[in-house]
Amino acid sequence: ALTQEKPERFFDRTFLTSSLRELGGGVIRRLSGINVETSAIYNLTTQFGGGKTHALTLLYHLAKSGPSASGWKGVQSLLDQAGVQSVPAAATAVFVGTEFDSLTGRGGNDGTPLRRTPWGDIAFQLGGEEGFAIVAKHDVEGIAPSTEVIRKFLPKGKPALILMDELLNYLNRERNRKAGLGGQLYSFVQNLSEEARAQGRVVLAVSLPSVVDEMTPEDEADFQRFEKLLDRLGKAMIMSAESETSEIIRRR
């Protein structure tokens, strides 16, 4: 769902709240190789509705389209915020926990390698079969790659944007099936965050749910761990401030 909409239409219908401008501008800056007044890691939470997925979709379309995004509605204000002339084209990878299933995996019967882990799928999206080959053994064994291995599958000489949504849904389903997977996913996000911070033009944006009412105790423990990690290594962003809510709904 993050990737299927026509980008021009998406931007036509999007009201750029101050938080979306800050996020979009910051990510464009970082992907352009400017490391001040930006972050390599963004932790997105939301106060209502689909603000997180909307924000991730915005980042996806920008990075995927690169310079051709400049003419879309509102993008000039993001470039002004970033202080750059055009949007850099970046390698992009998207992991959506509600859609990824480790039992069936991705690929395997369509000419692409079978990927059973978030790191296998992200490495494949960023670097194709060569990228996947770097973590093929980690994928089979369900072991998170180290920062050194992650460095090898990140694209050379090109910015990279990695988006992760619905991590807790994925963890909740996988927790009972495979002991230790939650710890491996945590290690992967930690190592990916550390490596993104060490690189000049890599951004990782992760969305965590802000509603803690319907969580099991295990969900809540996972949520606290991930939130603590992401807040320590990156920048917390609350999408859609209340005062701007009515304008967003009106435009949908």
Side-chain angles (χ1 to χ4, degrees), residues 76-135:
Q76 188 56 50
S77 70
L78 299 178
L79 293 171
D80 293 345
Q81 178 96 17
V84 299
Q85 297 297 308
S86 71
V87 181
T92 54
V94 179
F95 175 80
V96 181
T98 46
E99 295 171 11
F100 192 88
D101 191 298
S102 285
L103 275 181
T104 54
R106 284 259 163 86
N109 53 8
D110 60 356
T112 67
L114 177 65
R115 291 95 65 196
R116 290 192 184 276
T117 62
W119 41 95
D121 200 42
I122 286 172
F124 177 73
Q125 289 182 59
L126 290 176
E129 296 200 16
E130 281 177 35
F132 177 74
I134 293 163
V135 293

Side-chain angles (χ1 to χ4, degrees), residues 7-16 58 62 68-78 247 250-251:
E8 296 93 326
R9 285 192 56 209
F10 176 85
F11 277 82
D12 276 344
R13 297 208 325 270
T14 294
F15 173 65
L16 287 175
L58 175 116
L62 287 169
S68 62
S70 301
W72 301 340
K73 185 178 175 188
V75 173
Q76 188 56 50
S77 70
L78 299 178
E247 177 66 16
R250 193 174 68 68
R251 293 230 189 169

